[in-house]
Amino acid sequence: MVRLLKIELRKALSSKTFWILSGLYMLVIATVLFGVQGFLDNIVSSTGNDSPVDIPSVSVYRLPDIWHNLTFIAGFFKIILAVIIIITITNEYAYKTIRQNIIAGLSRADFLKSKVLFIFLISLSATVLLLILGLILGFINTIQPDFSGITEKMIFLPAYLLEVFSYLCFAFMVGFLVKRSGIAIGLMLLYAFIIEPVINYRLPSGFEGYMPLKSINNLIDIPNTALMQLFGVQFRNYISLSDVILVLAYTTLFLLISHLVLKKRDL
Amino acid sequence: MTRTILTIDKLSKRYGKIRALDELSLTIEKGNVFGILGPNGSGKTTTLGIILSVTNPNSGSFSWFGRKPSKQDRKHIGAIVETPVFYPYLSAVKNLKIYADIREVPYKEIERVLSIVDLTGRKNSRYNTYSLGMKQRLAIAAALLGNPKVLILDEPTNGLDPRGIAEIRKLIIQIAREGITIILASHLLDEVQKICSHVAVLDNGRNIFTGQVEDILGDSLQVEIGSRDNNAMLKAMDDIPEIISCEKEGNFYIATLKDGFHSTDLNQALFAKGISLSHLALQKKSLESHFLELLKNNGKTA
């Protein structure tokens, strides 16, 4: 397993594209997460002036709520990681290295395994990045947090890991099926932002949460801030087991499809 | 124990309506330098793709070293199919480290294979800065990682300049001397003739001839002859039983001679009959004429 991961890392770590996109991701995440409080404060203060009710100020960074808030916000940017994954797999086709890897002595299953390990490592790194940012922001903005005050809602971190991993497995499958980076990225965006939302809209009520990307995004619901409560909306502030099972099932399906295609395909 | 390296049994492969391989069978023994010869589109690369497990056959089977194909056995087969394939943004050394990890070979092997192909000086340059000849040599280096028992080469001199061609051929012959079995696919007859000990001729996905290169070349001798009076010469030749056949080609005649009957013998025999030749040139029957003959015959039966 270490060997397979090593192979994959050697391919990625010297690639300029990989570093540019990863750097972009880290930059975007850090900027958004550090800036989101100021952005919200701005909205609250500007609308608060002529609002009949008192708009409560929102504290994004207070431990332990910060885990829910940050994972929810970061979830919007996993698309950048998805692009990285698509490029890594489509490059193997463009360079024909997938073929040469098998010829040299990887089994097709090994090849898939090495990619999945890489996807997991990327997801884990994204989660660790959030953990670090969360701890920094949390400690700065929380008055005397105790241990349980820090860890209480940390369950959102593994949920975020699953969210990213599953989403990247979807991107991997698309890249794998399509083989060409441009078409694969376009297709993924088309599906994520148009096709699936349209299908969801057409589905009878009660079923809309079961589509693949929707269920992945549902893992972490909108944070239940005081602001939201003001509107009388109640969002789920926990991770539901049935969501986790559904997402795990979809992830398995993505990988299974990739596996079957790889098995049948001439390289 | 077994000397058989590769057995191919009735492999067939279709791409839509096109039959790329049609029940191809082949056996390759240890130590052969085996040429797979055929025109473009005859199924050479498809065959190599199948025996390297990257192309799935529609039917038929093959075995390496008498066993079912496995990734473990592929680690002892070095292969370059079509063009050299590497990660363009990585240096030679980093590329080879990936292949060393795949083949579970220690990194110290890398220096050895790079020196065999004479790329040590450029080992840290990115692959996409290499010339075609260097790329081809790096591909051979990668194939040599882990001391393979078999080396598979597909049109290894394609697109190279004469110097590059000479270098690669020298390298192949040098590798063959170390006892590594070589399978060489080529449409260049000259190449097969110069390098190979055995040959299989493919046409339309079928094996139309298998044998030793020597057998094809050594069974008879051809001489190109001419004289002032060709009619008298032809008449005189009728009485010489060692002449198998004689055909007009351009201004001269091509005579095929029996084994052991040399051009000097022919000259003497004709001189004794009062014919003096104005032209006499030795023509070893080339693989080319044999090859074209085979293709022609195959075309008739197909």
Side-chain angles (χ1 to χ4, degrees), chain A residues 220-267:
Chain A
I220 296 171
D221 205 351
I222 302 170
N224 232 346
T225 57
L227 182 66
M228 295 300 177
Q229 278 160 2
L230 186 74
F231 293 114
V233 233
Q234 271 294 340
F235 292 102
R236 183 162 36 79
N237 57 5
Y238 58 93
I239 305 295
S240 120
L241 184 64
S242 61
D243 282 353
V244 171
I245 292 170
L246 184 64
V247 170
L248 284 174
Y250 269 123
T251 311
T252 313
L253 183 71
F254 301 148
L255 295 179
L256 196 67
I257 291 172
S258 308
H259 175 71
L260 291 176
V261 169
L262 182 59
K263 219 172 131 185
K264 293 269 160 164
R265 186 181 266 174
D266 289 339
L267 300 172

XYZ file of all heavy atoms in Angstrom, chain A residues 220-267:
389
model
N -23.370 17.574 5.534
C -23.229 18.689 6.466
C -24.266 19.737 6.080
O -24.179 20.339 5.011
C -21.806 19.263 6.423
C -20.809 18.199 6.900
C -21.715 20.523 7.271
C -19.369 18.564 6.698
N -25.251 19.908 6.946
C -26.351 20.823 6.634
C -25.927 22.265 6.927
O -24.891 22.515 7.539
C -27.578 20.427 7.473
C -28.878 20.865 6.815
O -28.797 21.612 5.815
O -29.949 20.477 7.308
N -26.763 23.213 6.513
C -26.472 24.620 6.767
C -26.385 24.859 8.278
O -27.230 24.373 9.036
C -27.590 25.495 6.164
C -27.695 25.225 4.668
C -27.324 26.975 6.440
C -28.917 25.841 4.023
N -25.368 25.553 8.732
C -25.221 25.766 10.179
C -26.420 26.530 10.745
O -26.943 27.438 10.121
C -23.947 26.613 10.283
C -23.206 26.345 9.018
C -24.234 26.098 7.978
N -26.795 26.138 11.947
C -27.977 26.679 12.604
C -27.625 27.913 13.412
O -27.664 27.912 14.621
C -28.509 25.603 13.547
C -29.960 25.357 13.302
O -30.621 26.145 12.628
N -30.462 24.285 13.877
N -27.267 28.959 12.760
C -26.856 30.130 13.521
C -28.070 30.838 14.096
O -29.205 30.586 13.704
C -26.121 31.112 12.606
O -27.008 31.431 11.537
C -24.848 30.521 12.072
N -27.773 31.739 14.982
C -28.844 32.536 15.592
C -29.604 33.277 14.509
O -30.815 33.465 14.585
C -28.221 33.526 16.575
N -28.857 33.666 13.454
C -29.462 34.376 12.346
C -30.542 33.533 11.671
O -31.633 33.991 11.371
C -28.376 34.746 11.337
C -28.802 35.555 10.118
C -29.265 36.937 10.519
C -27.682 35.640 9.115
N -30.194 32.247 11.460
C -31.126 31.347 10.814
C -32.333 31.104 11.704
O -33.469 31.036 11.240
C -30.443 30.005 10.493
C -29.333 30.121 9.486
S -29.925 30.765 7.930
C -28.397 30.875 7.027
N -32.072 30.990 13.008
C -33.164 30.732 13.941
C -34.154 31.890 13.949
O -35.341 31.724 14.143
C -32.609 30.490 15.347
C -32.129 29.062 15.509
C -31.153 28.904 16.659
O -30.847 29.864 17.373
N -30.666 27.694 16.836
N -33.601 33.033 13.661
C -34.441 34.225 13.604
C -35.530 34.067 12.551
O -36.657 34.476 12.725
C -33.561 35.433 13.274
C -34.228 36.795 13.317
C -34.473 37.219 14.766
C -33.358 37.817 12.629
N -35.137 33.431 11.451
C -36.102 33.205 10.373
C -37.016 32.019 10.668
O -37.879 31.688 9.881
C -35.383 32.941 9.049
C -34.639 34.137 8.542
C -33.257 34.125 8.460
C -35.325 35.283 8.152
C -32.572 35.220 7.998
C -34.638 36.385 7.691
C -33.254 36.367 7.616
N -36.767 31.378 11.763
C -37.596 30.248 12.136
C -37.268 28.967 11.399
O -38.034 28.015 11.383
N -36.115 28.927 10.718
C -35.731 27.688 10.028
C -34.852 26.867 10.955
O -33.985 27.405 11.635
C -34.931 27.958 8.742
C -35.575 27.243 7.575
C -34.765 29.427 8.475
N -35.087 25.582 10.945
C -34.258 24.693 11.750
C -33.450 23.785 10.830
O -34.020 23.008 10.082
C -35.140 23.827 12.659
C -35.436 24.439 14.007
C -34.207 24.575 14.887
O -33.214 23.895 14.667
N -34.265 25.466 15.867
N -32.163 23.918 10.868
C -31.336 23.007 10.083
C -30.775 21.936 10.991
O -30.774 22.075 12.219
C -30.213 23.771 9.387
C -30.724 24.688 8.319
C -30.825 26.060 8.539
C -31.138 24.167 7.106
C -31.310 26.891 7.554
C -31.619 25.014 6.116
C -31.712 26.378 6.339
N -30.327 20.893 10.382
C -29.819 19.762 11.156
C -28.412 20.091 11.650
O -27.537 20.405 10.853
C -29.809 18.529 10.250
C -29.390 17.258 10.899
C -29.827 16.042 10.071
N -29.747 16.279 8.618
C -28.630 16.225 7.918
N -27.496 15.942 8.503
N -28.654 16.448 6.619
N -28.233 20.040 12.958
C -26.898 20.378 13.472
C -26.163 19.131 13.959
O -25.374 19.167 14.868
C -26.982 21.438 14.566
C -27.880 20.993 15.697
O -28.360 19.853 15.705
N -28.112 21.865 16.647
N -26.481 18.027 13.317
C -25.756 16.787 13.608
C -25.557 16.037 12.291
O -26.104 16.433 11.251
C -26.544 15.920 14.599
C -27.932 15.555 14.128
C -28.150 14.366 13.435
C -29.010 16.410 14.352
C -29.416 14.037 12.980
C -30.281 16.092 13.906
C -30.479 14.908 13.213
O -31.724 14.581 12.753
N -24.781 14.965 12.329
C -24.567 14.156 11.132
C -25.502 12.962 11.214
O -25.492 12.238 12.209
C -23.109 13.658 11.059
C -22.122 14.822 11.134
C -22.880 12.813 9.816
C -22.178 15.778 9.974
N -26.300 12.777 10.168
C -27.257 11.672 10.244
C -26.641 10.396 9.688
O -25.976 10.406 8.648
C -28.549 12.054 9.515
O -28.787 11.153 8.462
N -26.867 9.327 10.425
C -26.260 8.043 10.061
C -26.750 7.576 8.686
O -25.990 7.042 7.888
C -26.578 6.998 11.133
C -25.911 5.623 10.902
C -24.399 5.754 10.982
C -26.415 4.611 11.913
N -28.032 7.815 8.409
C -28.562 7.340 7.130
C -27.886 8.075 5.967
O -27.631 7.491 4.914
C -30.082 7.516 7.089
O -30.405 8.879 7.223
N -27.577 9.375 6.179
C -26.834 10.113 5.151
C -25.466 9.483 4.916
O -25.020 9.330 3.780
C -26.620 11.568 5.581
C -27.877 12.401 5.389
O -28.833 11.861 4.800
O -27.889 13.557 5.831
N -24.798 9.146 6.022
C -23.456 8.566 5.917
C -23.517 7.256 5.132
O -22.712 7.021 4.234
C -22.858 8.325 7.324
C -21.566 7.527 7.239
C -22.612 9.662 8.017
N -24.512 6.444 5.456
C -24.636 5.153 4.771
C -24.898 5.362 3.278
O -24.284 4.725 2.419
C -25.767 4.310 5.408
C -25.322 3.900 6.824
C -26.074 3.066 4.575
C -26.420 3.280 7.654
N -25.780 6.317 2.972
C -26.101 6.601 1.582
C -24.853 7.052 0.815
O -24.576 6.575 -0.296
C -27.189 7.678 1.516
C -27.713 8.021 0.126
C -28.412 6.819 -0.501
C -28.677 9.216 0.193
N -24.101 7.942 1.434
C -22.897 8.458 0.769
C -21.857 7.349 0.598
O -21.214 7.245 -0.449
C -22.309 9.654 1.555
C -20.939 10.031 1.017
C -23.250 10.844 1.476
N -21.724 6.511 1.615
C -20.787 5.387 1.493
C -21.208 4.468 0.354
O -20.372 3.984 -0.415
C -20.717 4.602 2.808
C -19.899 5.248 3.931
C -20.028 4.433 5.215
C -18.433 5.388 3.532
N -22.513 4.268 0.228
C -23.007 3.414 -0.853
C -22.685 4.030 -2.208
O -22.227 3.338 -3.129
C -24.515 3.213 -0.701
N -22.899 5.326 -2.342
C -22.577 6.001 -3.597
C -21.079 5.937 -3.906
O -20.672 5.678 -5.035
C -23.026 7.465 -3.564
C -24.426 7.656 -4.102
C -25.419 8.259 -3.333
C -24.751 7.229 -5.390
C -26.700 8.427 -3.823
C -26.039 7.393 -5.884
C -27.015 7.991 -5.100
O -28.266 8.143 -5.596
N -20.271 6.133 -2.870
C -18.816 6.080 -3.070
C -18.421 4.705 -3.594
O -17.636 4.588 -4.543
C -18.092 6.357 -1.735
O -18.663 7.519 -1.148
C -16.605 6.568 -1.952
N -18.971 3.673 -2.967
C -18.701 2.311 -3.412
C -19.110 2.146 -4.874
O -18.384 1.549 -5.674
C -19.474 1.297 -2.549
O -19.294 1.649 -1.176
C -18.990 -0.113 -2.784
N -20.263 2.708 -5.212
C -20.765 2.597 -6.580
C -19.811 3.280 -7.573
O -19.472 2.714 -8.616
C -22.162 3.214 -6.674
C -22.840 3.108 -8.030
C -23.260 1.672 -8.311
C -24.061 4.028 -8.111
N -19.355 4.488 -7.226
C -18.425 5.210 -8.119
C -17.184 4.361 -8.386
O -16.703 4.251 -9.510
C -17.962 6.543 -7.503
C -19.072 7.509 -7.184
C -18.951 8.385 -6.105
C -20.221 7.553 -7.957
C -19.973 9.286 -5.808
C -21.245 8.451 -7.660
C -21.123 9.313 -6.572
N -16.652 3.782 -7.307
C -15.412 3.020 -7.453
C -15.656 1.700 -8.181
O -14.814 1.254 -8.960
C -14.780 2.777 -6.080
C -14.315 4.060 -5.363
C -13.731 3.749 -4.001
C -13.306 4.824 -6.209
N -16.825 1.139 -7.938
C -17.171 -0.129 -8.590
C -17.299 0.076 -10.104
O -16.784 -0.721 -10.898
C -18.478 -0.670 -8.009
C -18.764 -2.145 -8.298
C -17.756 -3.022 -7.572
C -20.187 -2.508 -7.894
N -17.969 1.160 -10.492
C -18.100 1.459 -11.919
C -16.716 1.653 -12.541
O -16.393 1.079 -13.581
C -18.978 2.719 -12.137
C -20.433 2.408 -11.767
C -18.887 3.210 -13.584
C -21.349 3.610 -11.756
N -15.862 2.429 -11.865
C -14.508 2.653 -12.376
C -13.767 1.326 -12.526
O -13.078 1.089 -13.510
C -13.717 3.568 -11.429
O -14.444 4.736 -11.160
N -13.928 0.482 -11.516
C -13.241 -0.808 -11.525
C -13.686 -1.670 -12.709
O -12.859 -2.240 -13.418
C -13.520 -1.533 -10.208
C -12.954 -2.916 -10.150
N -11.594 -3.152 -10.048
C -13.555 -4.129 -10.203
C -11.402 -4.461 -10.047
N -12.565 -5.077 -10.140
N -15.001 -1.719 -12.920
C -15.515 -2.558 -14.006
C -15.082 -2.022 -15.363
O -14.699 -2.788 -16.261
C -17.044 -2.648 -13.934
C -17.570 -3.440 -12.731
C -19.093 -3.404 -12.686
C -17.071 -4.886 -12.776
N -15.121 -0.704 -15.509
C -14.703 -0.098 -16.771
C -13.225 -0.401 -17.025
O -12.819 -0.797 -18.118
C -14.945 1.429 -16.763
C -14.272 2.087 -17.958
C -16.435 1.713 -16.783
N -12.418 -0.251 -15.981
C -10.978 -0.493 -16.140
C -10.704 -1.944 -16.510
O -9.817 -2.250 -17.307
C -10.250 -0.130 -14.835
C -8.732 -0.286 -14.839
C -8.112 0.581 -15.920
C -8.148 0.097 -13.491
N -11.494 -2.839 -15.941
C -11.300 -4.256 -16.200
C -11.602 -4.612 -17.658
O -10.899 -5.393 -18.282
C -12.227 -5.054 -15.269
C -11.587 -6.313 -14.716
C -12.477 -6.922 -13.667
C -12.660 -8.396 -13.925
N -13.614 -8.986 -12.977
N -12.664 -3.999 -18.180
C -13.115 -4.337 -19.532
C -12.366 -3.584 -20.622
O -12.293 -4.045 -21.758
C -14.609 -3.994 -19.671
C -15.513 -4.859 -18.821
C -15.980 -6.075 -19.586
C -16.448 -7.106 -18.592
N -17.215 -8.145 -18.992
N -11.840 -2.443 -20.278
C -11.348 -1.540 -21.308
C -9.985 -1.954 -21.848
O -9.144 -2.436 -21.119
C -11.261 -0.139 -20.691
C -10.899 0.943 -21.640
C -10.833 2.261 -20.909
N -12.078 3.003 -20.960
C -12.295 4.138 -20.285
N -11.354 4.616 -19.495
N -13.439 4.772 -20.393
N -9.809 -1.746 -23.175
C -8.468 -1.880 -23.751
C -7.717 -0.596 -23.474
O -8.235 0.488 -23.712
C -8.557 -2.095 -25.270
C -9.091 -3.471 -25.619
O -9.007 -4.366 -24.754
O -9.588 -3.645 -26.735
N -6.505 -0.722 -22.993
C -5.770 0.495 -22.618
C -4.866 0.966 -23.741
O -4.437 0.210 -24.553
C -4.957 0.231 -21.355
C -5.812 -0.170 -20.166
C -4.927 -0.601 -19.017
C -6.689 0.994 -19.733
